[in-house]
């Protein structure tokens, strides 16, 4: 136990030292290159060609993995602290826009797959596990929350009644419009489109278009004529 505590304190010291010294060096002063090179000492994984702008905050870097060609912009906060089993992984080509907040909380896995784009001011929070598939588009001000507060006892403070955690899965090639909220326990099927401002409280089948509060499916993309799906038809 003492060895684990020593390792944790040593890791945290290196994390604070490097992120403090390097975190605010601007791009023009080779900041991105220095971070890409020296942050490898503290991250669980940091592949090549990673672009980390100045002003990005990392916590629990020994539980954060970052694949090739990932871009992380100013104001992002990625927090894997809180439990030794926490894990955050950003796969190849993921782009995290400004002021995104990603947090594990407790015994949580957050996985964002290849070439997915996370727009500005998005919040992605455990403690339930969260998986976001390949080539997804998550528009600005959306929220993905893998937890729910219990509130059955009106005589007890809600914060004292605990939470439930089922997890969230967003499959490949989904588009979540501006300000979409995804609540705990939801699976959004492959190729689905969720309209701006929708609140997703139940599973969405693959290739659906869903809108509203709560979100309801209004059509299936696979049932559209081929010409409406952008498929060119040749008659020769």
């Amino acid at each position: 136990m003492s060895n684990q505590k020593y390792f944790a304190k040593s890791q945290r010291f290196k994390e604070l030292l490097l992120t403090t010294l390097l975190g605010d060096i601007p791009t023009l002063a080779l900041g991105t290159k220095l971070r890409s090179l020296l942050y490898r000492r503290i991250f669980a994984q940091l592949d090549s060609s990673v672009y980390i702008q100045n002003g990005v905050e990392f916590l629990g870097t020994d539980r954060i993995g970052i694949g090739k060609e990932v871009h992380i912009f100013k104001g992002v906060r990625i927090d894997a602290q809180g439990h030794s089993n926490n894990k955050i992984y950003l796969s190849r080509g993921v782009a995290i826009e400004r002021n995104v907040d990603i947090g594990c909380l407790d015994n949580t896995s957050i996985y964002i797959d290849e070439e997915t784009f996370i727009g500005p001011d998005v919040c992605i929070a455990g403690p339930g596990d969260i998986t976001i598939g390949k080539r997804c588009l998550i528009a600005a001000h959306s929220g993905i929350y893998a937890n729910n507060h219990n509130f059955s006892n009106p005589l007890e403070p809600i914060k004292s009644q605990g939470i439930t955690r089922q997890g969230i899965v967003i499959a490949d090639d989904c588009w979540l419009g501006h300000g979409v909220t995804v609540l705990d326990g939801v699976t959004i099927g492959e190729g689905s489109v969720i309209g701006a401002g929708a609140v997703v409280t139940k599973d969405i089948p693959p290739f659906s278009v869903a809108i509203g509060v709560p979100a309801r499916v209004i059509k299936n993309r696979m049932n559209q004529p081929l010409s409406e799906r952008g498929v060119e038809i040749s008659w020769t």
Side-chain angles (χ1 to χ4, degrees):
M1 181 63 73
S2 59
N3 288 339
Q4 289 179 347
K5 288 183 178 179
Y6 174 80
F7 176 79
K9 288 181 179 180
S10 174
Q11 171 66 23
R12 181 58 179 153
F13 175 76
K14 288 191 293 183
E15 179 180 274
L16 284 171
L17 180 65
L18 283 176
T19 56
T20 300
L21 291 175
L22 302 176
D24 289 325
I25 299 176
T27 302
L28 291 176
L30 302 179
T32 56
K33 293 185 180 297
L34 288 171
R35 284 184 285 273
S36 181
L37 177 65
L38 297 178
Y39 275 5
R40 293 176 187 174
R41 298 171 180 263
I42 55 173
F43 278 78
Q45 176 183 340
L46 189 66
D47 285 343
S48 60
S49 303
V50 171
Y51 179 92
I52 301 172
Q53 248 184 358
N54 53 300
V56 176
E57 181 181 9
F58 294 103
L59 300 166
T61 51
D62 60 321
R63 296 181 287 279
I64 299 173
I66 300 178
K68 293 181 179 180
E69 300 171 359
V70 168
H71 284 62
I72 305 174
F73 295 93
K74 288 183 180 180
V76 170
R77 182 177 186 268
I78 300 179
D79 183 359
Q81 288 190 125
H83 195 283
S84 59
N85 290 337
N86 283 350
K87 182 178 180 181
I88 296 174
Y89 186 73
L90 310 178
S91 192
R92 181 184 62 83
V94 166
I96 310 291
E97 265 290 358
R98 295 190 177 202
N99 303 318
V100 169
D101 193 330
I102 302 174
C104 281
L105 298 181
D106 177 36
N107 194 15
T108 303
S109 171
I110 297 176
Y111 184 91
I112 302 176
D113 213 338
E114 296 180 4
E115 299 181 17
T116 282
F117 172 82
I118 309 294
D121 298 290
V122 169
C123 182
I124 300 172
D129 293 343
I130 298 170
T131 300
I132 301 175
K134 298 177 182 178
R135 296 177 296 278
C136 290
L137 302 170
I138 314 294
H141 298 282
S142 293
I144 299 168
Y145 304 108
N147 65 81
N148 266 317
H149 287 275
N150 299 319
F151 56 90
S152 59
N153 186 352
L155 303 179
E156 184 179 0
I158 293 173
K159 71 175 185 178
S160 302
Q161 296 188 49
I163 63 170
T164 59
R165 45 185 291 179
Q166 301 177 60
I168 291 170
V169 175
I170 300 172
D172 296 347
D173 193 32
C174 289
W175 173 25
L176 276 59
H178 182 277
V180 166
T181 301
V182 182
L183 299 184
D184 192 32
V186 162
T187 294
I188 299 177
E190 179 183 359
S192 290
V193 175
I194 312 298
V199 178
V200 186
T201 61
K202 297 187 296 185
D203 290 355
I204 303 295
F207 300 101
S208 296
V209 177
I211 61 172
V213 181
R216 68 189 190 282
V217 175
I218 59 169
K219 63 181 177 180
N220 186 290
R221 294 175 60 209
M222 299 302 289
N223 293 334
Q224 297 177 19
L226 289 177
S227 59
E228 292 184 17
R229 287 163 45 201
V231 178
E232 184 177 348
I233 302 173
S234 174
W235 298 102
T236 59

